[in-house]
Amino acid sequence: MEAPFVLPREASIEDPLRLAVLISGGGSGLSSILSFQSSEPRCHRTVLVLADSENAGGLEHGRRAGITTRGIPLLQGLQSIERRLAHESIILSQIESSGAELVVLSGYMRILTPSFVAKWKGRLLNIHPSLLPDFPGAHAHRDVLSAGVSTTGCTVHLVDEGVDTGPILAQREVPVLPDDDEEALQERVKKVEHVLYPEVIDLLCSGGVSLEVNG
Ligand code: GAR
């Protein structure tokens, strides 16, 4: 039987929800979350930033904000499944010891195992750069361009055991323009993501999300 979704507690400005943000790359999404949190009192704050590499450019955003920030590379010398599990168990223990109450995937390009998901289900959020269920996977913009569609967008969803599946909390459309290449499209979608993700995090943390997916 699959684990149920357990949403985070309803937080307040006086008692904000503690967030762990996981990234893999430049972290422009992380930066937008941190700006949102520092611009005025919010019902959430970031207590931990993790990346799956020590070279992820986005780690700098966490460090500059004075947040506990770590790049955790995959261990060498293990077979692929053991390597993945060992890495994930370090990530998990860092999250647990930080006291985080919500895990926010922001451009984190690793697929989490069902056992990780089960522990955080309902408190594990992702943003994906397409209108799911269309164009899941690691190459959404490339796939959008090869399909020739005229509209794409971004989706914020709770993570379940699948890949880019799980209850959708919000979506925003973005036009695909005739001369777009992957980079141009990615930049246009990111601008919208940077507004949408902080808003949905805010809604979730303030108790504004309810789910009927548990039956
Ligand atoms: C974002 O567009 C995010 O939606 C995407 O990676 C980018 C991260 O950018 N995530 C995925 O593709 C997850 N499958 P950033 O590092 O500049 O925040």
Side-chain angles (χ1 to χ4, degrees), residues 25-30 106-109 127-129 137 164 190 193:
S28 64
L30 164 67
S106 183
Y108 190 64
M109 300 307 281
I127 188 157
H128 181 80
D164 297 326
K190 276 191 187 183
E193 291 185 336

